Amino acid sequence: MTYDILLALITFAFVSSITPGPNNLMLMASGANFGFRRTVPHMLGIGLGFTFMVLLVGTGLVKVFEAYPVSYLGLKIASVVYLLYLAWKIAHAAPAKEEAATGTPMTFLQAAAFQWVNPKAWAMALTATTAYTPDHTLTAIMIVALIFGAVNLPSVSVWTILGQQMARILTNPRRLFFFNWTMAALLVASLYPVLWPS
């Protein structure tokens, strides 16, 4: 892997990790509803789950999709259904004082598993492993995965902190209700590139 490709990969990893998407929108909502500390397992699940996903996608899953295109369609349908379910859960989250007693943030394993039905994660993993590993060697794939692992966690932390800071103005149940429904709507809107690719 040349220096130019490495620099381009780091840039791609940062931009794709820091921009809005299902993971970041859910982290922002979790930071607002549960705080930073209780959202840490969710953040770690995203970072490590996505790193593992890149390794598997790079080492052969792309070939499965090429051989059996219907499997990718099935994954896309499952992704859309699951994201709609998550949007519903975010929209109907209880006010903060009730949530503290009854609600739970996403766990490490739930967040890691979510990467497999996250359309943006698939787009990132497929792009990274096809565009930035021209020789498709295991070493190049591991470098891509490690760079994403290193860049992803600080990037997603920003969204959790932003949500946590927003919690200060979300003490009013009406404001929290509006925030949660806005986050749910944005999560649904993030499906647009998947359902209607350009």
Side-chain angles (χ1 to χ4, degrees):
M1 186 178 288
T2 66
Y3 175 77
D4 289 343
I5 291 177
L6 186 63
L7 189 60
L9 171 62
I10 292 169
T11 303
F12 173 72
F14 173 73
V15 170
S16 58
S17 295
I18 197 79
T19 51
N23 279 326
N24 290 338
L25 293 172
M26 287 192 304
L27 285 172
M28 187 175 178
S30 184
N33 286 293
F34 305 111
F36 187 88
R37 188 182 58 78
R38 292 184 67 196
T39 305
V40 167
H42 187 167
M43 292 186 294
L44 291 173
I46 290 170
L48 296 176
F50 183 72
T51 300
F52 183 65
M53 181 184 186
V54 170
L55 280 172
L56 288 184
V57 167
T59 54
L61 209 50
V62 172
K63 291 178 183 155
V64 172
F65 290 147
E66 288 171 356
Y68 305 101
V70 72
S71 63
Y72 186 70
L73 177 63
L75 177 71
K76 185 184 279 192
I77 291 168
S79 300
V80 169
V81 170
Y82 189 62
L83 276 175
L84 291 173
Y85 166 73
L86 288 173
W88 182 86
K89 283 197 72 169
I90 289 171
H92 292 89
K97 58 185 177 186
E98 296 174 33
E99 200 68 43
T102 61
T104 55
M106 193 174 268
T107 67
F108 174 85
L109 290 177
Q110 288 171 332
F114 173 70
Q115 301 320 298
W116 295 94
V117 294
N118 179 353
K120 184 181 177 187
W122 274 104
M124 289 165 60
L126 290 168
T127 301
T129 56
T130 55
Y132 298 102
T133 58
D135 51 2
H136 288 84
T137 62
L138 182 59
T139 303
I141 292 164
M142 288 180 71
I143 289 171
V144 169
L146 289 172
I147 286 173
F148 265 99
V151 169
N152 193 270
L153 191 58
S155 299
V156 298
S157 297
V158 168
W159 287 85
T160 306
I161 292 168
L162 181 59
Q164 183 184 29
Q165 295 305 310
M166 288 193 71
R168 295 178 182 181
I169 61 169
L170 299 176
T171 52
N172 179 301
R174 282 179 59 102
R175 286 193 293 250
L176 182 63
F177 174 85
F178 178 76
F179 172 79
N180 285 341
W181 274 90
T182 301
M183 290 296 102
L186 289 171
L187 190 58
V188 171
S190 74
L191 288 170
Y192 181 82
V194 176
L195 298 174
W196 295 280
S198 54

